[in-house]
Amino acid sequence: MKKVTIGFSIHRPEIIDMTDALMQSHAVIFLEEPPQSGFQQMLAGDLSIEEYLLPVEVEYPVFSRQMCRLLRKLYAHGKKIIQVEPFLQHLLAVHDFFAQGYRPDDLAPKSLQHQVYVAERDATKALLDYYQIVMDGTFEETIEAIMRFARADAARFRLRDALRARALADAVLRYASAFIEAGSIHYGLYLQLKKKLPKQVQIKPVFIAHDALQTIGENGHLFGPGDLLTLRCILHVNSKDPQADVLLAARSLVYSKLVEKEELSADLETFPHIRNELACIQNVKQLTLGDCKRLFPLIRHAKSANVRHMVEDYLARFKKRWPPAINGVSN
């Protein structure tokens, strides 16, 4: 029986070792990225990691460098490593098309590139609208802006997952076992692949961050309220519980100000990012819609370090329960 594992991951250096263990047990590794110039040369050691990453927009440089080192090691051990992300590949092609002087109207209306362009355009516009409204809008206007972005982002994710599932369905069958890298919010990819693959193929989803939580004796999940809202929009296009969606949107306002944005690269064996995210999730889960509305004018222009103190003080005073320290260290 062929084995396919989808490793849902986060782009944090602390989970590299756990990812390594999973990848080692598969014949082929499908990365969640479009084909990149110099990739094979980097794997073979003919191109330095720094040179390979230089033209790439890298959001998490420490993670990216360590991941490249891992891939080099796996390649040296005979693993097949393939970059597969059709949505981003089409998006790059659209950017190149526009760079040549063409306009959106020049894209063939029913082409995949047009679909990708529209999904990216709508999600980007909704995000920019949110950034503008959150600075000066009311709490209610900001919540509605978050909801609009979540719906547009979900449409983009549905298309990304559909295109990738289509590309992977045949590719994985060429190998005895396959590991598919995926961001944690791409659960729709698993559902679509499960439908497309023959029944004799064993497909298993693995949430690497959840496994990391268990190794440090913690329970729960690492989906922040914004991700949960987007997942609900992805899996349930017509939500039957709009009040739950509004509460997730409100909590995401607070969560986004609490969670650590910078890469933490020290003491990785203690899982600093995972502890931080779990503590932030546990804190905002205590907040009602009214709590979020009261906190909103206090935190929206404040720096994250100050917001963390505000929220911890608020929870300690009004929830009669000392909250988890947001740096991830238990009180």
Side-chain angles (χ1 to χ4, degrees):
M1 176 178 286
K2 292 181 181 292
K3 178 178 72 171
V4 175
T5 300
I6 300 185
F8 294 105
S9 185
I10 56 175
H11 291 166
R12 300 302 189 187
E14 62 209 66
I15 56 89
I16 293 284
D17 287 345
M18 302 186 78
T19 305
D20 182 5
L22 277 169
M23 288 180 169
Q24 288 278 8
S25 61
H26 296 78
V28 62
I29 298 156
F30 292 100
L31 300 178
E32 189 184 43
E33 55 192 49
Q36 180 70 28
S37 175
F39 180 65
Q40 291 299 322
Q41 292 93 325
M42 182 277 293
L43 290 179
D46 298 328
L47 181 68
S48 73
I49 291 172
E50 288 71 23
E51 288 178 289
Y52 170 69
L53 291 175
L54 190 61
V56 183
E57 290 188 22
V58 175
E59 187 174 1
Y60 304 103
V62 176
F63 171 84
S64 297
R65 286 194 295 270
Q66 291 191 14
M67 193 65 182
C68 284
R69 294 189 193 104
L70 168 59
L71 294 174
R72 269 186 174 178
K73 182 185 77 171
L74 293 168
Y75 180 81
H77 290 172
K79 300 297 180 184
K80 184 78 172 176
I81 304 172
I82 305 172
Q83 297 168 306
V84 179
E85 222 307 348
F87 181 97
L88 296 182
Q89 191 171 354
H90 284 299
L91 186 60
L92 290 171
V94 168
H95 289 168
D96 289 342
F97 185 71
F98 291 162
Q100 296 172 34
Y102 293 100
R103 299 170 57 83
D105 290 345
D106 296 318
L107 291 168
K110 295 183 179 180
S111 66
L112 280 177
Q113 289 188 357
H114 184 265
Q115 294 178 48
V116 167
Y117 163 72
V118 170
E120 186 70 17
R121 177 201 65 191
D122 292 350
T124 301
K125 181 182 183 304
L127 181 61
L128 293 175
D129 288 346
Y130 160 72
Y131 284 151
Q132 183 174 7
I133 291 170
V134 73
M135 297 304 295
D136 301 302
T138 66
F139 177 75
E140 289 75 16
E141 289 169 340
T142 304
I143 294 300
E144 184 53 40
I146 292 174
M147 302 282 285
R148 285 196 299 271
F149 171 65
R151 289 190 287 267
D153 202 24
R156 176 169 59 177
F157 274 117
R158 282 194 296 272
L159 180 57
R160 280 187 68 173
D161 292 342
L163 293 178
R164 196 160 186 242
R166 189 185 309 170
L168 288 168
D170 292 330
V172 298
L173 297 179
R174 301 178 195 138
Y175 303 90
S177 60
F179 178 90
I180 298 171
E181 178 193 40
S184 58
I185 204 168
H186 288 278
Y187 191 73
L189 174 65
Y190 162 68
L191 297 177
Q192 293 202 41
L193 266 178
K194 192 174 180 181
K195 292 179 181 178
K196 291 179 179 295
L197 292 175
K199 291 185 178 180
Q200 62 266 31
V201 176
Q202 178 188 19
I203 181 169
K204 178 183 178 183
V206 175
F207 290 87
I208 300 174
H210 295 186
D211 290 350
L213 277 176
Q214 293 178 3
T215 67
I216 56 176
E218 297 285 356
N219 295 310
H221 63 74
L222 280 182
F223 288 114
D227 284 347
L228 282 176
L229 175 60
T230 303
L231 275 170
R232 284 171 61 88
C233 292
I234 292 170
L235 302 176
H236 309 287
V237 179
N238 299 311
S239 176
K240 301 294 191 297
D241 192 354
Q243 288 185 329
D245 292 344
V246 169
L247 180 57
L248 286 172
R251 286 174 173 171
S252 73
L253 275 174
V254 182
Y255 179 85
S256 66
K257 298 288 288 189
L258 293 178
V259 73
E260 180 60 57
K261 310 294 191 307
E262 300 297 321
E263 268 191 306
L264 303 175
S265 55
D267 301 320
L268 295 181
E269 67 279 359
T270 66
F271 297 95
H273 280 290
I274 286 173
R275 290 180 185 273
N276 170 257
E277 290 177 32
L278 180 63
C280 293
I281 289 166
Q282 290 174 340
N283 273 303
V284 298
K285 282 178 72 173
Q286 300 179 58
L287 298 175
T288 65
L289 186 63
D291 293 327
C292 296
K293 186 172 183 177
R294 283 188 286 273
L295 285 167
F296 177 61
L298 304 175
I299 68 174
R300 68 165 148 187
H301 298 304
K303 294 182 178 180
S304 289
N306 294 331
V307 171
R308 289 165 192 152
H309 291 302
M310 290 181 199
V311 172
E312 286 183 341
D313 180 64
Y314 184 91
L315 292 172
R317 290 171 59 198
F318 298 108
K319 298 299 175 180
K320 298 180 181 179
R321 172 180 161 192
W322 190 253
I326 293 171
N327 63 8
V329 179
S330 300
N331 289 292

